[in-house]
Each structure stands twice: as C-alpha cells, then as structure tokens.
Amino acid sequence: MGSCVHLPGNVNYENVADVTYNVTQFGALCQKSAFKYPSTDLPDMPPCNFKPEEYKGMSKERMMEIRRQYCNPMTMKITLYKKPVFLHQGYMQWLWDVDGRRYLDLFAGVATVSVGHCHPKVTAAAEQQLKRLWHTTNIYVYPPLHEYCEKLASYFPDPLKVIYLTNSGSEANDLAMLMARLHTGNFDIITLRGSYHGGSPQTMGLTSNAAYKYPIANGLGCTNTMCPDVFRGPWGGSHCRDSPVQTIRDCSCAQGHCMANEQYIGQLKETFATSVPSRIAAFFGEPIQGVGGAVQYPENYLKEAYKLVRERGGVCIADEVQTGFGRTGSHFWGFQGHGVFPDIVTMAKGIGNGFPMGAVVTTPEIAASFAKGVHFNTFGGNPVACAVASAVLDTIKEDSAQQISLNVGTYLLTELAKLRDKYEIIGDVRGKGLQIGVEMVKDKASRDPLSPEAMGEIFEDVKDMGVLIGKGGLYGQTFRIKPPMCITMEDADFFLAVFNKSIHNYMERR
C-alpha cells in the first residue's frame, strides 16, 4: 500500500504526490453488504488499561460560576452541550471527566491532538526540555530550534525549505498574507466561501463564514469565490472527489471529464473578471475545508486554480492547519493529494499535538522579499515547543500514525456511507483518512440542512453514549470526525454503533 510517512530531504516531489488509495486489504471490512450493528445493539466501550487520577478539584458548579463571571463570555456560547463535559484527564484517544467517566475522543480538540492525548513519547520530550531550558528567543542559537527546523524541512520538497515558527494557525496565516503581498507587490487575496483561516483582524477577511465575522472593517483586500462543493453546491456528481466515498448525486460526465470542475473554475474566472484587479497577491485554500465541514473539491480544481492565480501574479498558499501531518492518510500534506505545489504552506494544530505552535514554510525567494523589514516573534521557536513538535514528527513515523489514518479512516468512511444509504437524513459522507464529515439534511431530495435543534439532539445523544465528535459547516449541519491518529478498528466499530443508535433514536422520536 502506498504511504509517505517520512519524506527524506532529497525527496522528488512527483513521487510524493503519486501516493493513492488502495483499500483492497480491508477485504470483508469494507465489502460487508449491510451495517453490522442493528439499531438496538450497542457494544461495550473498548477497554483501556490506563487509570486516570481521581479528581479532587473544584466543583462543577464553581467552574460554571467562574466561567460565567470571569471567562471570555464567548465560552458560554460555544459550550457545545446542554449538559457540558467537565474534562479532567486524557490519554491517547481517551478522555475522562471529573466524575471518572471515560469518552472516546473523535474530535481531538478540533483536529489538534494528532498522535494522542499525553502521548508518552511527546510527554517525555516536553519534560526533558522543561528541565533544561524553558524559554529563550531566536536571537540566540540553541539546539531544539535548529534540530526541529531541519527535521520539518525534510518533509517538504525543494524549494519549500524556509521555516518561520509561530504560536497559532491564525498567526501563521496572517504572516503568509504579509509575505504574499510583499513578494508580489499586489494586495488582493482570494479564498473560498465557507473557509476558515483564523480570527485575527487580518485573517478574518480570509475566513468566509458569517459566524466568525464582526461588523467592523477587517481583512481588507480579501475576496471570496464560490466553494466547489460537489454535494451542496450547484454542480457535482458521483465521480468528482478524491475520497473513498462519493456523493449520491448523478453524474453524466464522460470518462476523464468533470463538468462540475469546469463550472466551478468558471466561477473563479468570473471572480477574476469582476471582483479583483488584474494582478493579485495570493489564493488561500485548505486542501479539505475543516470548519466548513470536511468539504472536498473536484479532483483537478486546485491544480487549475493555482494556474490561473499564477497567471495573474499571485502566489498559492496551502492552509494545512487541519489537513497536515498525515491526517488525510494517503499523503503527509493535504496539498499532495491534489498534485499541486504551493508557494507557501501554513500549519498549526497537529504540529504540536495540542502544544500552542504554528509554522509557515516557503521558498528562499519569497523569504528574501520578506526581509525588507525586521520580523521577530518572542515565542515562535520556543525550546519546549520545538522539542514537542520534533517528538510529534518522530511519533507519527514510529507509531505509523499516517497509516492508521489511511486504514481506519477509509474503514470509517466506507461504513458511514452504509448509514447514509440507510437513513434519509444523512445526506453526504466525505473526507480522506481521519478528516471526515457527515452532512445531515432534512431529506436527500432537497439537501436542506438538518435543523440546529435536531443536530443538537443527535450530538447530545452521541456524547451521552460515550463519544465526543464535532460540528461544522455553514449551517452547523455537518458532524466532524477528526480523532487522534491512534484510534483502532475496535474504536471505529464502537463509534459506528453509537452513531447508528443515535440516528435511530432521533428517527424514532420524530
């Protein structure tokens, strides 16, 4: 089976991008004619030998009182459940609440815990560095920074070899915007509708989702174009995307020809003709939309979009904050699955397994353009952050985390597609590896989003049965499944049974 868990420094890009899915090894797992669990049958949660510490801290009531009185008010709005989860401890794919109840975590702190909560190898690296040097800045020369930059660069083809370390994905994307504008001498940046690229004043312009917008001027020079969503968009068929699971929409395209792709590229051309100057700075795109609900594009969309952008003087930026570090399974970076070569790559989340860190990787040419002023980041490249991130890269390789993403993710997608065929309210199943979205609808004919109230019922039911998942999409209509890349087939089966049961329960209550 093709895989690219580790890319040596002299890797040839064409070879890296050529890794494709091969699911034949699953045999009976992926060829079953029907979903294995009846609606009323729920297996026991898979066993776990880890014993969490007994919680002896403040009461749940006191925590909520403090949350209301002293914390950012938004924390009350984004507490996802009617009955909040009060977390105490985590280990690998498991979380425990203050009452000692165990949960299977399939959201990973919003696709952030890449190799597992408190992974022993990563924890040991952090502890070792904490005993040696907590903090200094890159005005000094210290081993963790240089060891990590060399290691991270080895995962990229030439000339993507210059690394800037940041503290978050928003900061990384903000930095990439500045780089693109300085390098090209142009200002306008294009992103896709439904995208999420951060919440800073600049990246808010890249983000195209009303929930994250404020009624003030922000992100000047950013223009959104139609997202090539082959399920919810005006065009799409059953052969459009690079995924083990395709949409239920009919497709009459000839072999090797995608009408939907042509239409969406036509929309991008119209954006060029009507909404931006003749010369632009950049195009920002997630290889698979994360917050947008694991939205995938026609297979050649990014390839053609990159060509059009470069013809207009722009650079192409891949936002790998959620798709990077092996999560898509078939490739280490999401952009490789599209056969494209970006000029700038941004990343965060899984880079540090939850430790606050981000990065921008670019070419020497763009880096030289950026040297027109002094760029300094107090915490970017912090010794502990670098030690943690280095251990994450080692762990992805040693634990075969990317291969787990491919195997377990493909199995989950295939089985979830059977639930889609079983239930009228499951409109679409999509994704690659462990970057999965399940879009819920009122019915398949209209594709109207399932109501927030109905989504909440199912969401709460899944949690009450011991599994944590996420939500996304423009209307909050998509369940997001993005677990730590250490889950097992047994975990996958448990979730599938829980999800099946929760949908069955909802349908019974209707």
Side-chain angles (χ1 to χ4, degrees):
M1 174 175 288
S3 179
C4 50
V5 174
H6 179 70
L7 310 184
N10 62 351
V11 70
N12 179 280
Y13 176 75
E14 284 74 21
N15 292 337
V16 173
D18 195 39
V19 182
T20 56
Y21 272 102
N22 178 357
V23 300
T24 55
Q25 77 177 70
F26 297 116
L29 286 176
C30 294
Q31 297 299 324
K32 295 188 291 264
S33 60
F35 185 71
K36 67 164 68 172
Y37 296 110
S39 300
T40 55
D41 187 17
L42 192 65
D44 293 333
M45 182 178 284
C48 173
N49 294 326
F50 182 82
K51 301 295 182 184
E53 300 172 4
E54 182 183 356
Y55 178 73
K56 298 179 180 179
M58 67 173 65
S59 69
K60 291 184 281 189
E61 292 75 19
R62 180 58 181 153
M63 280 190 272
M64 291 304 294
E65 183 182 339
I66 292 171
R67 196 172 178 93
R68 283 188 293 269
Q69 189 170 354
Y70 299 114
C71 293
N72 166 7
M74 193 57 66
T75 61
M76 292 302 296
K77 291 186 178 181
I78 62 175
T79 300
L80 293 175
Y81 299 106
K82 294 178 181 177
K83 295 179 289 183
V85 178
F86 295 80
L87 292 178
H88 166 49
Q89 194 164 354
Y91 181 77
M92 302 306 280
Q93 67 269 48
W94 303 105
L95 289 167
W96 286 264
D97 67 15
V98 297
D99 298 316
R101 184 178 181 189
R102 179 161 57 105
Y103 296 88
L104 176 62
D105 181 14
L106 296 191
F107 201 32
V110 193
T112 301
V113 179
S114 49
V115 294
H117 292 282
C118 302
H119 192 295
K121 296 174 187 175
V122 181
T123 301
E127 289 175 345
Q128 186 178 37
Q129 186 59 47
L130 281 167
K131 293 174 184 176
R132 186 178 296 131
L133 180 66
W134 277 38
H135 176 71
T136 186
T137 71
N138 55 26
I139 62 173
Y140 303 107
V141 181
Y142 50 96
L145 171 68
H146 303 85
E147 290 167 1
Y148 180 65
C149 285
E150 181 181 43
K151 188 179 292 185
L152 181 61
S154 74
Y155 282 74
F156 285 93
D158 287 326
L160 288 169
K161 294 294 182 182
V162 183
I163 296 167
Y164 296 78
L165 297 177
T166 67
N167 306 295
S168 71
S170 291
E171 187 184 349
N173 285 340
D174 210 315
L175 182 58
M177 294 173 74
L178 180 57
M179 284 181 173
R181 284 168 168 162
L182 284 169
H183 179 68
T184 63
N186 304 323
F187 191 70
D188 288 72
I189 298 174
I190 294 177
T191 61
L192 300 174
R193 293 176 194 163
S195 62
Y196 180 85
H197 296 286
S200 68
Q202 282 299 306
T203 59
M204 207 181 296
L206 301 177
T207 294
S208 180
N209 186 321
Y212 298 93
K213 298 284 191 180
Y214 288 86
I216 58 170
N218 60 74
L220 299 178
C222 296
T223 298
N224 309 124
T225 193
M226 182 180 285
C227 178
D229 182 346
V230 298
F231 173 72
R232 181 155 295 284
W235 306 286
S238 55
H239 300 91
C240 289
R241 60 196 184 198
D242 176 24
S243 173
V245 177
Q246 298 291 335
T247 71
I248 57 174
R249 298 176 77 170
D250 292 332
C251 182
S252 57
C253 295
Q255 185 71 27
H257 175 82
C258 183
M259 181 273 291
N261 186 58
E262 288 183 358
Q263 295 285 353
Y264 289 118
I265 288 294
Q267 290 295 309
L268 177 58
K269 289 177 178 177
E270 187 151 328
T271 299
F272 286 133
T274 62
S275 304
V276 294
S278 60
R279 306 288 288 176
I280 66 170
F283 171 85
F284 250 94
E286 303 163 85
I288 299 173
Q289 285 192 345
V291 175
V295 174
Q296 292 181 282
Y297 327 128
E299 291 189 55
N300 290 317
Y301 179 84
L302 284 185
K303 192 176 292 185
E304 295 183 35
Y306 275 27
K307 181 175 182 292
L308 292 171
V309 167
R310 287 172 173 146
E311 288 172 355
R312 288 156 178 80
V315 297
C316 300
I317 303 170
D319 180 335
E320 294 278 355
V321 170
Q322 294 199 32
T323 51
F325 298 93
R327 179 161 289 280
T328 63
S330 63
H331 298 84
F332 200 84
W333 305 111
F335 69 80
Q336 293 167 330
H338 294 271
V340 296
F341 190 101
D343 304 290
I344 301 174
V345 182
T346 63
M347 63 204 72
K349 291 189 181 288
I351 191 174
N353 199 47
F355 198 94
M357 191 176 185
V360 177
V361 180
T362 190
T363 67
E365 183 183 8
I366 293 175
S369 300
F370 188 59
K372 295 171 183 175
V374 175
H375 172 72
F376 179 73
N377 186 316
T378 300
F379 294 105
N382 168 274
V384 180
C386 288
V388 167
S390 183
V392 168
L393 286 178
D394 292 342
T395 301
I396 290 171
K397 181 180 180 181
E398 293 164 8
D399 290 7
S400 300
Q402 184 182 334
Q403 194 69 38
I404 291 171
S405 289
L406 178 64
N407 294 353
V408 180
T410 301
Y411 174 65
L412 273 170
L413 282 160
T414 306
E415 293 299 300
L416 284 166
K418 294 174 184 175
L419 289 182
R420 177 201 61 194
D421 297 341
K422 177 179 178 181
Y423 294 109
E424 180 67 12
I425 62 170
I426 301 180
D428 195 32
V429 172
R430 54 182 176 257
K432 288 179 66 177
L434 292 174
Q435 178 91 342
I436 297 171
V438 181
E439 183 157 351
M440 309 299 290
V441 295
K442 291 179 180 177
D443 58 80
K444 287 183 170 70
S446 70
R447 286 176 289 158
D448 289 340
L450 194 64
S451 71
E453 295 75 21
M455 290 291 293
E457 283 185 43
I458 298 167
F459 194 60
E460 198 88 18
D461 208 15
V462 170
K463 178 260 295 182
D464 289 343
M465 286 188 273
V467 180
L468 304 180
I469 57 176
K471 284 191 291 186
L474 283 177
Y475 313 102
Q477 81 282 18
T478 302
F479 291 121
R480 298 165 65 195
I481 301 153
K482 304 176 182 186
M485 298 185 294
C486 58
I487 68 165
T488 66
M489 289 290 189
E490 191 177 11
D491 299 331
D493 277 334
F494 177 69
F495 162 68
L496 289 163
V498 165
F499 193 60
N500 179 56
K501 177 70 172 173
S502 68
I503 301 296
H504 173 79
N505 289 348
Y506 172 76
M507 299 299 286
E508 287 283 294
R509 290 192 297 266
R510 283 176 54 169

